[in-house]
Structures are given as C-alpha cells and as structure tokens.
Amino acid sequence: MKTLLGSVAIGIGALLCQGVYAQDSAGHTALCKDGTYFDGATHKGACRGHQGVKEWLDKTTAKSDAKTDAKSADTTAAATDDKTTKKHHKKKDADTASTAATTAAPAAATTTATTAAKEEKSTKHTPPTPAKDIVAKPGGGPGLVWVNSESKVYHCQGDEWYGKTKQGSYMSAADAEKAGAHAAHGKACQ
C-alpha cells in the first residue's frame, strides 16, 4: 500500500512539473541556456547574452547559421538592444557586449577583441612633457621662487621646474611659505 501511494505521489509530481513547464513556456520562442525565455518573432538574435539557445519552443525550425550569428553579433556587440532585453521577462541580464561577442562565432569575437584593443590604445595615458622641453614663463629672477599653485610646491631658481609648471607664479620664498607652499624635495633655496 505504501509503495502504491509513493508511486502515485511521484507520478502526480511528474505530471505537475510537466504542466508547469508547459504553462511557463507557452507562447515563448526559445528557452535560453541560463533559464530565461526569448519571445522574439524571429530566431535572429535569440538568447544573445544568455549563453545561447537551449531549446526552440515554437513550431518553426531553427537555423543555426554561423555567418548570420557572426554578423548579428558584430552589429550588436557595441550596444545592448532594448527590445531584446525587454523580451527576457524572467531575468534581466546585464552582460556586456564582450560577453555577447564571446558566445558568438570566433570571427566576431576576434573582431570585437581587435576593436577593444584599439580603444584601449587610444585611451592610454600619455606621459607628461619633460621639464627640459618646456619653456619657462617670463618674470623670474634672483630672490624669486616659482610656486606651483596646484601642488603648493615652490621651485628655486636653477631647478628643472622653475617657471615651467602649468599653473603658478613667481614670489619670494618667505611669501611662498606664508601662502602654505613648501620647498620641492624639502630643499629650501639658498
């Protein structure tokens, strides 16, 4: 009797799970590998950024053409399509364009990686201009120091940065110290 009741309970549980699955997947185009659903009218771009398509739920056949996947990944790698994001109602995914590109064809991933490398090169920090290549501002002379107004550091006459920082002014060492500036490298002028 207990065995029979256990079997019935397992059977009912299995039926309920199938009913929930069928009810939850009704009207969706595809089930993504991460458990979200895709509701698009076409298969193009389905489950992009969601680890790909696990199962097609509509009655049409799925065409997995690498050229189409590479082209669509390349055109949408830079920006997330708002319409596609709204179609994923179970879980909002904030994957970056690089994640979408890595799940697409290798050609698209290589193109995206090359673009990212070019952007990285263009945003690299350029080193400052050496002091020897900068012309000193006019007005300095004996008894005057150059005070960098940003860093509050003063440079003595003969120092490599004397009169050469972007912002500053000439004044006496005593006035510079009264203004809160200190000597460069802790060396007071002589």
Side-chain angles (χ1 to χ4, degrees):
M1 186 69 168
K2 288 182 182 181
T3 309
L4 180 63
L5 287 175
S7 299
V8 170
I10 291 173
I12 291 172
L15 287 174
L16 288 175
C17 288
Q18 286 179 351
V20 168
Y21 176 77
Q23 182 182 16
D24 197 26
S25 64
H28 300 293
T29 306
L31 172 64
C32 301
K33 289 182 180 177
D34 66 352
T36 60
Y37 290 97
F38 177 78
D39 294 331
T42 65
H43 290 175
K44 187 174 181 180
C47 298
R48 178 169 290 115
H50 295 270
Q51 303 167 355
V53 176
K54 180 178 181 180
E55 179 181 352
W56 293 104
L57 302 174
D58 61 354
K59 303 299 179 200
T60 60
T61 58
K63 292 182 181 179
S64 177
D65 186 15
K67 291 180 183 177
T68 304
D69 289 345
K71 183 179 177 184
S72 63
D74 194 32
T75 57
T76 60
T80 305
D81 184 35
D82 288 333
K83 292 178 185 176
T84 303
T85 305
K86 289 177 185 175
K87 290 175 186 174
H88 297 281
H89 61 79
K90 271 188 132 180
K91 175 181 167 185
K92 289 187 178 181
D93 195 79
D95 286 344
T96 59
S98 62
T99 304
T102 57
T103 59
T110 304
T111 304
T112 304
T114 304
T115 305
K118 288 178 184 177
E119 289 176 6
E120 183 178 325
K121 286 181 182 178
S122 66
T123 59
K124 282 189 177 179
H125 176 71
T126 56
T129 307
K132 63 182 175 124
D133 296 341
I134 301 172
V135 177
K137 312 252 184 324
L144 295 177
V145 296
W146 174 258
V147 180
N148 182 338
S149 58
E150 279 188 13
S151 66
K152 300 290 184 184
V153 173
Y154 68 85
H155 302 276
C156 305
Q157 190 174 12
D159 183 88
E160 69 175 335
W161 289 103
Y162 185 75
K164 296 182 179 182
T165 60
K166 287 183 181 180
Q167 297 177 1
S169 60
Y170 292 105
M171 61 178 73
S172 69
D175 290 340
E177 289 179 1
K178 285 180 187 176
H182 60 279
H185 307 291
K187 299 177 184 176
C189 298
Q190 298 174 357

PDB file of all heavy atoms in Angstrom, residues 65-102:
ATOM      1  N   ASP A  65      23.000  29.348 -38.460  1.00  0.00           N
ATOM      2  CA  ASP A  65      23.947  29.714 -39.490  1.00  0.00           C
ATOM      3  C   ASP A  65      25.055  30.550 -38.859  1.00  0.00           C
ATOM      4  O   ASP A  65      24.797  31.612 -38.318  1.00  0.00           O
ATOM      5  CB  ASP A  65      23.230  30.496 -40.589  1.00  0.00           C
ATOM      6  CG  ASP A  65      24.126  30.795 -41.764  1.00  0.00           C
ATOM      7  OD1 ASP A  65      25.186  30.173 -41.868  1.00  0.00           O
ATOM      8  OD2 ASP A  65      23.745  31.638 -42.580  1.00  0.00           O
ATOM      9  N   ALA A  66      26.271  30.087 -38.909  1.00  0.00           N
ATOM     10  CA  ALA A  66      27.378  30.787 -38.261  1.00  0.00           C
ATOM     11  C   ALA A  66      27.589  32.179 -38.840  1.00  0.00           C
ATOM     12  O   ALA A  66      27.940  33.111 -38.123  1.00  0.00           O
ATOM     13  CB  ALA A  66      28.657  29.965 -38.393  1.00  0.00           C
ATOM     14  N   LYS A  67      27.367  32.336 -40.159  1.00  0.00           N
ATOM     15  CA  LYS A  67      27.545  33.660 -40.760  1.00  0.00           C
ATOM     16  C   LYS A  67      26.522  34.650 -40.219  1.00  0.00           C
ATOM     17  O   LYS A  67      26.840  35.788 -39.930  1.00  0.00           O
ATOM     18  CB  LYS A  67      27.424  33.574 -42.285  1.00  0.00           C
ATOM     19  CG  LYS A  67      28.558  32.842 -42.931  1.00  0.00           C
ATOM     20  CD  LYS A  67      28.393  32.791 -44.431  1.00  0.00           C
ATOM     21  CE  LYS A  67      29.502  31.991 -45.080  1.00  0.00           C
ATOM     22  NZ  LYS A  67      29.321  31.884 -46.518  1.00  0.00           N
ATOM     23  N   THR A  68      25.280  34.222 -40.064  1.00  0.00           N
ATOM     24  CA  THR A  68      24.235  35.097 -39.526  1.00  0.00           C
ATOM     25  C   THR A  68      24.538  35.444 -38.081  1.00  0.00           C
ATOM     26  O   THR A  68      24.415  36.593 -37.675  1.00  0.00           O
ATOM     27  CB  THR A  68      22.860  34.412 -39.618  1.00  0.00           C
ATOM     28  OG1 THR A  68      22.630  34.047 -40.974  1.00  0.00           O
ATOM     29  CG2 THR A  68      21.763  35.320 -39.124  1.00  0.00           C
ATOM     30  N   ASP A  69      24.971  34.447 -37.290  1.00  0.00           N
ATOM     31  CA  ASP A  69      25.309  34.695 -35.898  1.00  0.00           C
ATOM     32  C   ASP A  69      26.478  35.670 -35.799  1.00  0.00           C
ATOM     33  O   ASP A  69      26.469  36.573 -34.977  1.00  0.00           O
ATOM     34  CB  ASP A  69      25.673  33.390 -35.178  1.00  0.00           C
ATOM     35  CG  ASP A  69      24.455  32.509 -34.954  1.00  0.00           C
ATOM     36  OD1 ASP A  69      23.319  33.019 -35.081  1.00  0.00           O
ATOM     37  OD2 ASP A  69      24.644  31.316 -34.642  1.00  0.00           O
ATOM     38  N   ALA A  70      27.507  35.484 -36.645  1.00  0.00           N
ATOM     39  CA  ALA A  70      28.669  36.369 -36.599  1.00  0.00           C
ATOM     40  C   ALA A  70      28.283  37.785 -36.989  1.00  0.00           C
ATOM     41  O   ALA A  70      28.708  38.755 -36.366  1.00  0.00           O
ATOM     42  CB  ALA A  70      29.760  35.847 -37.529  1.00  0.00           C
ATOM     43  N   LYS A  71      27.444  37.919 -38.029  1.00  0.00           N
ATOM     44  CA  LYS A  71      27.045  39.248 -38.482  1.00  0.00           C
ATOM     45  C   LYS A  71      26.205  39.956 -37.427  1.00  0.00           C
ATOM     46  O   LYS A  71      26.427  41.115 -37.109  1.00  0.00           O
ATOM     47  CB  LYS A  71      26.262  39.135 -39.791  1.00  0.00           C
ATOM     48  CG  LYS A  71      25.872  40.475 -40.372  1.00  0.00           C
ATOM     49  CD  LYS A  71      25.128  40.299 -41.677  1.00  0.00           C
ATOM     50  CE  LYS A  71      24.679  41.642 -42.227  1.00  0.00           C
ATOM     51  NZ  LYS A  71      23.887  41.484 -43.432  1.00  0.00           N
ATOM     52  N   SER A  72      25.239  39.251 -36.842  1.00  0.00           N
ATOM     53  CA  SER A  72      24.376  39.886 -35.841  1.00  0.00           C
ATOM     54  C   SER A  72      25.148  40.192 -34.574  1.00  0.00           C
ATOM     55  O   SER A  72      24.908  41.202 -33.932  1.00  0.00           O
ATOM     56  CB  SER A  72      23.159  39.017 -35.545  1.00  0.00           C
ATOM     57  OG  SER A  72      23.558  37.782 -34.990  1.00  0.00           O
ATOM     58  N   ALA A  73      26.102  39.354 -34.205  1.00  0.00           N
ATOM     59  CA  ALA A  73      26.910  39.624 -33.014  1.00  0.00           C
ATOM     60  C   ALA A  73      27.804  40.833 -33.250  1.00  0.00           C
ATOM     61  O   ALA A  73      28.016  41.638 -32.349  1.00  0.00           O
ATOM     62  CB  ALA A  73      27.765  38.410 -32.666  1.00  0.00           C
ATOM     63  N   ASP A  74      28.324  40.966 -34.463  1.00  0.00           N
ATOM     64  CA  ASP A  74      29.203  42.085 -34.778  1.00  0.00           C
ATOM     65  C   ASP A  74      28.443  43.408 -34.781  1.00  0.00           C
ATOM     66  O   ASP A  74      28.946  44.417 -34.316  1.00  0.00           O
ATOM     67  CB  ASP A  74      29.847  41.842 -36.159  1.00  0.00           C
ATOM     68  CG  ASP A  74      31.009  42.769 -36.407  1.00  0.00           C
ATOM     69  OD1 ASP A  74      31.694  43.130 -35.417  1.00  0.00           O
ATOM     70  OD2 ASP A  74      31.245  43.129 -37.573  1.00  0.00           O
ATOM     71  N   THR A  75      27.195  43.393 -35.294  1.00  0.00           N
ATOM     72  CA  THR A  75      26.437  44.645 -35.371  1.00  0.00           C
ATOM     73  C   THR A  75      25.869  45.055 -34.030  1.00  0.00           C
ATOM     74  O   THR A  75      25.628  46.228 -33.794  1.00  0.00           O
ATOM     75  CB  THR A  75      25.284  44.543 -36.394  1.00  0.00           C
ATOM     76  OG1 THR A  75      24.439  43.450 -36.027  1.00  0.00           O
ATOM     77  CG2 THR A  75      25.820  44.347 -37.796  1.00  0.00           C
ATOM     78  N   THR A  76      25.640  44.108 -33.133  1.00  0.00           N
ATOM     79  CA  THR A  76      25.052  44.463 -31.840  1.00  0.00           C
ATOM     80  C   THR A  76      26.021  44.337 -30.685  1.00  0.00           C
ATOM     81  O   THR A  76      25.627  44.482 -29.540  1.00  0.00           O
ATOM     82  CB  THR A  76      23.823  43.574 -31.546  1.00  0.00           C
ATOM     83  OG1 THR A  76      24.245  42.215 -31.529  1.00  0.00           O
ATOM     84  CG2 THR A  76      22.725  43.809 -32.543  1.00  0.00           C
ATOM     85  N   ALA A  77      27.281  44.078 -30.955  1.00  0.00           N
ATOM     86  CA  ALA A  77      28.248  43.897 -29.867  1.00  0.00           C
ATOM     87  C   ALA A  77      28.491  45.181 -29.094  1.00  0.00           C
ATOM     88  O   ALA A  77      28.755  45.139 -27.911  1.00  0.00           O
ATOM     89  CB  ALA A  77      29.565  43.371 -30.425  1.00  0.00           C
ATOM     90  N   ALA A  78      28.386  46.329 -29.755  1.00  0.00           N
ATOM     91  CA  ALA A  78      28.685  47.591 -29.079  1.00  0.00           C
ATOM     92  C   ALA A  78      27.556  48.073 -28.183  1.00  0.00           C
ATOM     93  O   ALA A  78      27.780  48.794 -27.232  1.00  0.00           O
ATOM     94  CB  ALA A  78      29.018  48.659 -30.107  1.00  0.00           C
ATOM     95  N   ALA A  79      26.311  47.717 -28.484  1.00  0.00           N
ATOM     96  CA  ALA A  79      25.183  48.223 -27.692  1.00  0.00           C
ATOM     97  C   ALA A  79      24.176  47.113 -27.452  1.00  0.00           C
ATOM     98  O   ALA A  79      23.986  46.246 -28.283  1.00  0.00           O
ATOM     99  CB  ALA A  79      24.503  49.370 -28.428  1.00  0.00           C
ATOM    100  N   THR A  80      23.538  47.130 -26.305  1.00  0.00           N
ATOM    101  CA  THR A  80      22.511  46.149 -25.994  1.00  0.00           C
ATOM    102  C   THR A  80      21.196  46.623 -26.575  1.00  0.00           C
ATOM    103  O   THR A  80      20.827  47.769 -26.412  1.00  0.00           O
ATOM    104  CB  THR A  80      22.378  45.996 -24.465  1.00  0.00           C
ATOM    105  OG1 THR A  80      23.660  45.670 -23.952  1.00  0.00           O
ATOM    106  CG2 THR A  80      21.374  44.926 -24.108  1.00  0.00           C
ATOM    107  N   ASP A  81      20.493  45.734 -27.258  1.00  0.00           N
ATOM    108  CA  ASP A  81      19.228  46.092 -27.874  1.00  0.00           C
ATOM    109  C   ASP A  81      18.145  46.111 -26.804  1.00  0.00           C
ATOM    110  O   ASP A  81      17.879  45.106 -26.150  1.00  0.00           O
ATOM    111  CB  ASP A  81      18.896  45.077 -28.969  1.00  0.00           C
ATOM    112  CG  ASP A  81      17.636  45.438 -29.719  1.00  0.00           C
ATOM    113  OD1 ASP A  81      17.372  46.625 -29.927  1.00  0.00           O
ATOM    114  OD2 ASP A  81      16.922  44.509 -30.115  1.00  0.00           O
ATOM    115  N   ASP A  82      17.491  47.261 -26.599  1.00  0.00           N
ATOM    116  CA  ASP A  82      16.482  47.399 -25.556  1.00  0.00           C
ATOM    117  C   ASP A  82      15.309  46.461 -25.778  1.00  0.00           C
ATOM    118  O   ASP A  82      14.743  45.921 -24.824  1.00  0.00           O
ATOM    119  CB  ASP A  82      15.975  48.843 -25.483  1.00  0.00           C
ATOM    120  CG  ASP A  82      17.013  49.768 -24.901  1.00  0.00           C
ATOM    121  OD1 ASP A  82      17.844  49.310 -24.124  1.00  0.00           O
ATOM    122  OD2 ASP A  82      16.969  50.960 -25.232  1.00  0.00           O
ATOM    123  N   LYS A  83      14.908  46.259 -27.027  1.00  0.00           N
ATOM    124  CA  LYS A  83      13.766  45.391 -27.304  1.00  0.00           C
ATOM    125  C   LYS A  83      14.061  43.964 -26.877  1.00  0.00           C
ATOM    126  O   LYS A  83      13.219  43.299 -26.291  1.00  0.00           O
ATOM    127  CB  LYS A  83      13.412  45.432 -28.787  1.00  0.00           C
ATOM    128  CG  LYS A  83      12.868  46.780 -29.227  1.00  0.00           C
ATOM    129  CD  LYS A  83      12.589  46.786 -30.706  1.00  0.00           C
ATOM    130  CE  LYS A  83      12.148  48.167 -31.171  1.00  0.00           C
ATOM    131  NZ  LYS A  83      11.970  48.214 -32.614  1.00  0.00           N
ATOM    132  N   THR A  84      15.260  43.471 -27.166  1.00  0.00           N
ATOM    133  CA  THR A  84      15.626  42.120 -26.788  1.00  0.00           C
ATOM    134  C   THR A  84      15.689  41.993 -25.283  1.00  0.00           C
ATOM    135  O   THR A  84      15.243  41.004 -24.716  1.00  0.00           O
ATOM    136  CB  THR A  84      16.994  41.742 -27.403  1.00  0.00           C
ATOM    137  OG1 THR A  84      16.902  41.904 -28.812  1.00  0.00           O
ATOM    138  CG2 THR A  84      17.360  40.315 -27.081  1.00  0.00           C
ATOM    139  N   THR A  85      16.214  43.006 -24.612  1.00  0.00           N
ATOM    140  CA  THR A  85      16.300  42.974 -23.158  1.00  0.00           C
ATOM    141  C   THR A  85      14.916  42.909 -22.534  1.00  0.00           C
ATOM    142  O   THR A  85      14.694  42.190 -21.567  1.00  0.00           O
ATOM    143  CB  THR A  85      17.051  44.217 -22.643  1.00  0.00           C
ATOM    144  OG1 THR A  85      18.323  44.279 -23.279  1.00  0.00           O
ATOM    145  CG2 THR A  85      17.254  44.149 -21.151  1.00  0.00           C
ATOM    146  N   LYS A  86      13.942  43.634 -23.078  1.00  0.00           N
ATOM    147  CA  LYS A  86      12.590  43.617 -22.544  1.00  0.00           C
ATOM    148  C   LYS A  86      11.923  42.271 -22.761  1.00  0.00           C
ATOM    149  O   LYS A  86      11.060  41.867 -21.989  1.00  0.00           O
ATOM    150  CB  LYS A  86      11.756  44.728 -23.195  1.00  0.00           C
ATOM    151  CG  LYS A  86      12.176  46.107 -22.735  1.00  0.00           C
ATOM    152  CD  LYS A  86      11.389  47.171 -23.433  1.00  0.00           C
ATOM    153  CE  LYS A  86      11.893  48.562 -23.075  1.00  0.00           C
ATOM    154  NZ  LYS A  86      11.212  49.600 -23.823  1.00  0.00           N
ATOM    155  N   LYS A  87      12.315  41.547 -23.812  1.00  0.00           N
ATOM    156  CA  LYS A  87      11.703  40.262 -24.113  1.00  0.00           C
ATOM    157  C   LYS A  87      12.082  39.202 -23.096  1.00  0.00           C
ATOM    158  O   LYS A  87      11.413  38.207 -22.941  1.00  0.00           O
ATOM    159  CB  LYS A  87      12.092  39.811 -25.515  1.00  0.00           C
ATOM    160  CG  LYS A  87      11.445  40.669 -26.589  1.00  0.00           C
ATOM    161  CD  LYS A  87      11.942  40.270 -27.939  1.00  0.00           C
ATOM    162  CE  LYS A  87      11.397  41.226 -28.993  1.00  0.00           C
ATOM    163  NZ  LYS A  87      11.957  40.975 -30.293  1.00  0.00           N
ATOM    164  N   HIS A  88      13.157  39.371 -22.404  1.00  0.00           N
ATOM    165  CA  HIS A  88      13.596  38.415 -21.388  1.00  0.00           C
ATOM    166  C   HIS A  88      12.938  38.798 -20.070  1.00  0.00           C
ATOM    167  O   HIS A  88      13.492  39.523 -19.278  1.00  0.00           O
ATOM    168  CB  HIS A  88      15.120  38.417 -21.275  1.00  0.00           C
ATOM    169  CG  HIS A  88      15.788  37.978 -22.532  1.00  0.00           C
ATOM    170  ND1 HIS A  88      15.900  36.658 -22.886  1.00  0.00           N
ATOM    171  CD2 HIS A  88      16.351  38.681 -23.530  1.00  0.00           C
ATOM    172  CE1 HIS A  88      16.511  36.582 -24.049  1.00  0.00           C
ATOM    173  NE2 HIS A  88      16.789  37.784 -24.464  1.00  0.00           N
ATOM    174  N   HIS A  89      11.726  38.294 -19.837  1.00  0.00           N
ATOM    175  CA  HIS A  89      10.935  38.754 -18.704  1.00  0.00           C
ATOM    176  C   HIS A  89      11.291  38.066 -17.401  1.00  0.00           C
ATOM    177  O   HIS A  89      10.998  38.580 -16.341  1.00  0.00           O
ATOM    178  CB  HIS A  89       9.441  38.598 -18.993  1.00  0.00           C
ATOM    179  CG  HIS A  89       9.034  37.180 -19.243  1.00  0.00           C
ATOM    180  ND1 HIS A  89       8.837  36.287 -18.238  1.00  0.00           N
ATOM    181  CD2 HIS A  89       8.811  36.524 -20.397  1.00  0.00           C
ATOM    182  CE1 HIS A  89       8.490  35.125 -18.759  1.00  0.00           C
ATOM    183  NE2 HIS A  89       8.463  35.242 -20.060  1.00  0.00           N
ATOM    184  N   LYS A  90      11.897  36.906 -17.427  1.00  0.00           N
ATOM    185  CA  LYS A  90      12.190  36.213 -16.188  1.00  0.00           C
ATOM    186  C   LYS A  90      13.390  36.801 -15.467  1.00  0.00           C
ATOM    187  O   LYS A  90      13.407  36.905 -14.249  1.00  0.00           O
ATOM    188  CB  LYS A  90      12.470  34.734 -16.461  1.00  0.00           C
ATOM    189  CG  LYS A  90      11.241  33.876 -16.436  1.00  0.00           C
ATOM    190  CD  LYS A  90      11.659  32.461 -16.526  1.00  0.00           C
ATOM    191  CE  LYS A  90      10.964  31.654 -15.476  1.00  0.00           C
ATOM    192  NZ  LYS A  90      11.340  30.272 -15.515  1.00  0.00           N
ATOM    193  N   LYS A  91      14.400  37.163 -16.223  1.00  0.00           N
ATOM    194  CA  LYS A  91      15.651  37.592 -15.595  1.00  0.00           C
ATOM    195  C   LYS A  91      16.288  38.650 -16.463  1.00  0.00           C
ATOM    196  O   LYS A  91      16.517  38.448 -17.630  1.00  0.00           O
ATOM    197  CB  LYS A  91      16.568  36.374 -15.479  1.00  0.00           C
ATOM    198  CG  LYS A  91      17.942  36.672 -14.954  1.00  0.00           C
ATOM    199  CD  LYS A  91      18.732  35.382 -14.922  1.00  0.00           C
ATOM    200  CE  LYS A  91      20.196  35.668 -14.713  1.00  0.00           C
ATOM    201  NZ  LYS A  91      20.992  34.470 -14.790  1.00  0.00           N
ATOM    202  N   LYS A  92      16.599  39.804 -15.886  1.00  0.00           N
ATOM    203  CA  LYS A  92      17.307  40.840 -16.634  1.00  0.00           C
ATOM    204  C   LYS A  92      18.786  40.543 -16.516  1.00  0.00           C
ATOM    205  O   LYS A  92      19.297  40.339 -15.424  1.00  0.00           O
ATOM    206  CB  LYS A  92      16.991  42.230 -16.089  1.00  0.00           C
ATOM    207  CG  LYS A  92      15.589  42.657 -16.399  1.00  0.00           C
ATOM    208  CD  LYS A  92      15.365  44.079 -16.010  1.00  0.00           C
ATOM    209  CE  LYS A  92      13.967  44.496 -16.388  1.00  0.00           C
ATOM    210  NZ  LYS A  92      13.694  45.866 -16.050  1.00  0.00           N
ATOM    211  N   ASP A  93      19.454  40.551 -17.631  1.00  0.00           N
ATOM    212  CA  ASP A  93      20.855  40.198 -17.661  1.00  0.00           C
ATOM    213  C   ASP A  93      21.655  41.397 -18.109  1.00  0.00           C
ATOM    214  O   ASP A  93      21.341  42.007 -19.113  1.00  0.00           O
ATOM    215  CB  ASP A  93      21.042  39.022 -18.628  1.00  0.00           C
ATOM    216  CG  ASP A  93      22.376  38.382 -18.442  1.00  0.00           C
ATOM    217  OD1 ASP A  93      22.539  37.604 -17.505  1.00  0.00           O
ATOM    218  OD2 ASP A  93      23.253  38.676 -19.257  1.00  0.00           O
ATOM    219  N   ALA A  94      22.692  41.751 -17.360  1.00  0.00           N
ATOM    220  CA  ALA A  94      23.479  42.935 -17.668  1.00  0.00           C
ATOM    221  C   ALA A  94      24.814  42.552 -18.278  1.00  0.00           C
ATOM    222  O   ALA A  94      25.845  43.122 -17.955  1.00  0.00           O
ATOM    223  CB  ALA A  94      23.686  43.760 -16.400  1.00  0.00           C
ATOM    224  N   ASP A  95      24.818  41.553 -19.158  1.00  0.00           N
ATOM    225  CA  ASP A  95      26.058  41.145 -19.811  1.00  0.00           C
ATOM    226  C   ASP A  95      26.571  42.262 -20.705  1.00  0.00           C
ATOM    227  O   ASP A  95      25.814  42.986 -21.309  1.00  0.00           O
ATOM    228  CB  ASP A  95      25.843  39.890 -20.667  1.00  0.00           C
ATOM    229  CG  ASP A  95      25.688  38.638 -19.817  1.00  0.00           C
ATOM    230  OD1 ASP A  95      26.047  38.711 -18.623  1.00  0.00           O
ATOM    231  OD2 ASP A  95      25.226  37.627 -20.338  1.00  0.00           O
ATOM    232  N   THR A  96      27.864  42.360 -20.803  1.00  0.00           N
ATOM    233  CA  THR A  96      28.459  43.374 -21.660  1.00  0.00           C
ATOM    234  C   THR A  96      28.531  42.882 -23.089  1.00  0.00           C
ATOM    235  O   THR A  96      28.294  41.714 -23.372  1.00  0.00           O
ATOM    236  CB  THR A  96      29.887  43.703 -21.193  1.00  0.00           C
ATOM    237  OG1 THR A  96      30.649  42.489 -21.251  1.00  0.00           O
ATOM    238  CG2 THR A  96      29.895  44.259 -19.783  1.00  0.00           C
ATOM    239  N   ALA A  97      28.863  43.774 -23.980  1.00  0.00           N
ATOM    240  CA  ALA A  97      28.962  43.412 -25.388  1.00  0.00           C
ATOM    241  C   ALA A  97      30.060  42.384 -25.608  1.00  0.00           C
ATOM    242  O   ALA A  97      29.965  41.554 -26.498  1.00  0.00           O
ATOM    243  CB  ALA A  97      29.233  44.651 -26.228  1.00  0.00           C
ATOM    244  N   SER A  98      31.109  42.401 -24.785  1.00  0.00           N
ATOM    245  CA  SER A  98      32.175  41.426 -24.961  1.00  0.00           C
ATOM    246  C   SER A  98      31.691  40.027 -24.645  1.00  0.00           C
ATOM    247  O   SER A  98      32.108  39.068 -25.276  1.00  0.00           O
ATOM    248  CB  SER A  98      33.378  41.781 -24.090  1.00  0.00           C
ATOM    249  OG  SER A  98      33.017  41.753 -22.722  1.00  0.00           O
ATOM    250  N   THR A  99      30.768  39.848 -23.676  1.00  0.00           N
ATOM    251  CA  THR A  99      30.210  38.545 -23.374  1.00  0.00           C
ATOM    252  C   THR A  99      29.392  38.050 -24.551  1.00  0.00           C
ATOM    253  O   THR A  99      29.463  36.888 -24.920  1.00  0.00           O
ATOM    254  CB  THR A  99      29.334  38.612 -22.106  1.00  0.00           C
ATOM    255  OG1 THR A  99      30.123  39.131 -21.043  1.00  0.00           O
ATOM    256  CG2 THR A  99      28.803  37.242 -21.739  1.00  0.00           C
ATOM    257  N   ALA A 100      28.623  38.927 -25.160  1.00  0.00           N
ATOM    258  CA  ALA A 100      27.823  38.538 -26.314  1.00  0.00           C
ATOM    259  C   ALA A 100      28.731  38.127 -27.467  1.00  0.00           C
ATOM    260  O   ALA A 100      28.435  37.182 -28.180  1.00  0.00           O
ATOM    261  CB  ALA A 100      26.915  39.680 -26.749  1.00  0.00           C
ATOM    262  N   ALA A 101      29.828  38.826 -27.626  1.00  0.00           N
ATOM    263  CA  ALA A 101      30.737  38.513 -28.721  1.00  0.00           C
ATOM    264  C   ALA A 101      31.438  37.182 -28.492  1.00  0.00           C
ATOM    265  O   ALA A 101      31.679  36.442 -29.435  1.00  0.00           O
ATOM    266  CB  ALA A 101      31.755  39.624 -28.893  1.00  0.00           C
ATOM    267  N   THR A 102      31.772  36.843 -27.245  1.00  0.00           N
ATOM    268  CA  THR A 102      32.471  35.596 -26.988  1.00  0.00           C
ATOM    269  C   THR A 102      31.566  34.391 -27.152  1.00  0.00           C
ATOM    270  O   THR A 102      32.042  33.300 -27.395  1.00  0.00           O
ATOM    271  CB  THR A 102      33.098  35.581 -25.585  1.00  0.00           C
ATOM    272  OG1 THR A 102      32.079  35.806 -24.619  1.00  0.00           O
ATOM    273  CG2 THR A 102      34.178  36.624 -25.453  1.00  0.00           C
TER     274      THR A 102
END
